[in-house]
Amino acid sequence: MNTEANFMEQVQSNQGIIRKLVGLYANSDEERKDLYQEILFQAWKGFASFRGDAKFSTWLYRISLNTILTAQRKTNKVEYRESVEDDLLHDQGDQVKNENSRILRVAIRRLPETERAIITLHLDGYTNPEIAEMMGISPNNATVKLHRIKHQLISQLQPQLS
């Protein structure tokens, strides 16, 4: 299989990662499309250097997150958005579960970008050492930050969910 076809197959298998992150950080449909395209461009540029030391999904997650954070620093606009409309984040279960998911997504969007990235990685099932590697911090620091973020979210969500 040629490089382009391999890249496209890998991206298609893991496009949910990109959409989820773009949904958490972008504030409009246009911004989501722009970020999605920029992530694909950056991933394609770096694909030749992908060695396979980590899973492709981990590598793509890191490219996606770095691209989003770089784009937001350039425009200097990290904004809170009340309504998150990402279909991939939207649960198809009962209304209570959907409402709880929406409340959690809103709370996560209120976090600073680094903390948002750490909790998102955790919720996606990455281990603390994997999170540490992707974020460029020590595993111990990742564990401590994650613990603090969880407590912050719990205290923020407690009144809404009781």
Side-chain angles (χ1 to χ4, degrees):
M1 182 178 339
N2 69 26
T3 304
E4 186 176 345
N6 185 23
F7 175 76
M8 291 308 294
E9 180 181 314
Q10 290 287 344
V11 166
Q12 280 215 306
S13 298
N14 294 284
Q15 67 181 331
I17 291 168
I18 301 171
R19 291 202 171 147
K20 185 183 313 180
L21 286 171
V22 166
L24 283 171
Y25 287 89
N27 295 313
S28 68
D29 285 338
E30 194 61 36
E31 189 178 357
R32 277 192 288 280
K33 289 175 190 173
D34 289 346
L35 278 174
Y36 191 90
Q37 289 300 316
E38 183 63 21
I39 290 167
L40 289 180
F41 175 68
Q42 295 301 327
W44 174 248
K45 276 185 12 182
F47 188 64
S49 65
F50 175 65
R51 298 182 311 263
D53 296 341
K55 293 186 291 186
F56 181 83
S57 60
T58 302
W59 178 82
L60 183 62
Y61 206 112
R62 189 169 192 168
I63 295 278
S64 300
L65 193 56
N66 287 338
T67 301
I68 289 168
L69 296 179
T70 299
Q72 289 193 335
R73 283 187 197 110
K74 283 180 183 175
T75 59
N76 197 20
K77 62 174 186 182
V78 177
E79 298 175 14
Y80 163 69
R81 185 180 81 191
E82 186 69 34
S83 65
V84 178
E85 302 293 332
D86 188 7
D87 291 338
L88 292 174
L89 293 175
H90 190 68
D91 226 341
Q92 298 300 320
D94 62 355
Q95 284 187 333
V96 171
K97 189 174 181 180
N98 286 339
E99 181 61 16
N100 288 345
S101 294
R102 187 195 66 74
I103 291 169
L104 177 60
R105 287 192 309 271
V106 168
I108 290 171
R109 285 194 54 84
R110 288 183 178 142
L111 295 171
E113 61 187 34
T114 303
E115 292 176 2
R116 192 181 323 168
I118 290 170
I119 194 68
T120 302
L121 287 165
H122 174 72
L123 292 173
D124 282 343
Y126 289 96
T127 65
N128 289 359
E130 290 172 323
I131 293 169
E133 181 184 334
M134 283 189 252
M135 296 301 297
I137 57 178
S138 72
N140 189 44
N141 194 0
T143 302
V144 169
K145 283 183 177 284
L146 190 55
H147 180 74
R148 289 179 182 160
I149 294 166
K150 285 179 183 178
H151 280 285
Q152 184 179 354
L153 287 172
I154 288 168
S155 65
Q156 185 180 348
L157 294 172
Q158 199 91 33
Q160 294 177 38
L161 298 176
S162 28

